[in-house]
Amino acid sequence: MHVVTLLKANMFDVEIDGKPASIAEALPDWNPHDRFGLVIDDALGGIGATHLLQIAITSFYDVKPSRRTELTVYPEIYAFHIGKGYGAHAPYDFWPARREVITSRDHREVLDAINDRGITRLAVPDRQPQEVVHRPKEVDAALDRIVSAFVYSPSGRVSDPDLVISGNDRRTEYNPNSALRPRYYRQPAGFGFDGSQAGQEVDPSYQEWLRKREHDLTSEERAFVERRREALRQDGLVTETYRRAGVREALMRLASAGLD
């Protein structure tokens, strides 16, 4: 639950269509019941959507300030791994582990999972759209509920972007660094976790989840993603680009996710 204190809205600069903009313009009409969903189909691919995810997290807390002070709640964010796990994204506070959903490659099951979690803001990888048939009424359910959708690249940069999000504080790179190099904590002798601690980092089940997901990718894949992220950094900061998309387009891209 470290993101409660780690991330603030003023750590990010936003541009839309080449002009300075606000987080509220990137995520219009955000409300206390919004849920962010991130579809992942590449090794630690969600790192490419780091800043979009993080402004969604700040919006989750800012729309209801008591979530930062009186309550102890994780942000309503969900990762959907297509076909298999692609490495733990729990360091972004996709926690408990049920927030990282591993689906089959069947686009119908992916949409089922998205609808089951009530996702209202959706980010999908930049894959070729395909005309597909989903289960009856599942598309209508998604169209009725999802407010905005985005296309991202695991590399952090898409072609022809219309949304640019930059970190202006080095703390915005804490989460991707933690995903690339998981932080393991050894508990002192006699220490017991009862759920009352401030963060999941000392929770044995969290440590177990990180170790379980370590085998989702090879050391070579992890090193490649780390080099790719480092190549984007200037003075420790990263600028990412996205394309805003219609919900129908985003759903069409689900059919190609995980096929490369």
Side-chain angles (χ1 to χ4, degrees), residues 36-54 78-82 84-92 94 100 123-127 150-158 175-176 179-180 213 216-218 221-226 228-229 232 238 240-242 257-258 260:
F36 184 88
L38 177 61
V39 177
I40 300 168
D41 71 345
D42 200 6
L44 289 173
I47 288 177
T50 288
H51 290 343
L52 179 61
L53 169 61
Q54 293 188 144
Y78 296 81
F80 301 92
H81 298 250
I82 308 302
K84 70 181 195 71
Y86 290 97
H89 288 62
Y92 288 89
F94 288 103
E100 291 203 67
V124 300
D126 192 5
R127 307 304 185 202
F150 306 86
V151 176
Y152 80 95
S153 168
S155 71
R157 302 282 174 85
V158 299
N175 288 327
L180 286 163
R213 299 265 65 89
D216 288 346
L217 59 158
T218 65
E221 287 175 318
R222 190 177 296 274
F224 170 78
V225 177
E226 190 166 17
R228 183 172 63 187
R229 188 68 181 181
L232 295 181
V238 168
E240 297 171 349
T241 64
Y242 304 87
D260 289 353

Side-chain angles (χ1 to χ4, degrees), residues 183-189 191 201-202 207 211:
R183 303 169 193 268
Y184 295 106
Y185 294 87
R186 181 173 297 176
Q187 295 179 5
F191 179 89
E201 291 84 358
V202 295
Q207 300 291 319
R211 289 189 172 89

Side-chain angles (χ1 to χ4, degrees), residues 87-186:
H89 288 62
Y92 288 89
D93 268 4
F94 288 103
W95 192 253
R98 60 181 173 80
R99 302 274 178 95
E100 291 203 67
V101 184
I102 299 176
T103 75
S104 74
R105 296 185 188 276
D106 187 331
H107 61 274
R108 295 169 298 181
E109 291 190 14
V110 179
L111 182 54
D112 288 352
I114 290 169
N115 282 343
D116 282 347
R117 275 78 182 174
I119 300 304
T120 60
R121 315 282 176 153
L122 181 65
V124 300
D126 192 5
R127 307 304 185 202
Q128 188 67 30
Q130 292 189 39
E131 291 286 353
V132 293
V133 177
H134 288 278
R135 293 191 174 99
K137 303 304 179 183
E138 292 296 335
V139 170
D140 285 347
L143 292 173
D144 180 62
R145 187 190 65 257
I146 298 175
V147 178
S148 48
F150 306 86
V151 176
Y152 80 95
S153 168
S155 71
R157 302 282 174 85
V158 299
S159 60
D160 301 318
D162 60 10
L163 172 63
V164 179
I165 309 174
S166 304
N168 60 44
D169 186 304
R170 291 191 179 187
R171 285 172 290 182
T172 58
E173 288 300 292
Y174 179 88
N175 288 327
N177 283 339
S178 296
L180 286 163
R181 299 285 179 176
R183 303 169 193 268
Y184 295 106
Y185 294 87
R186 181 173 297 176

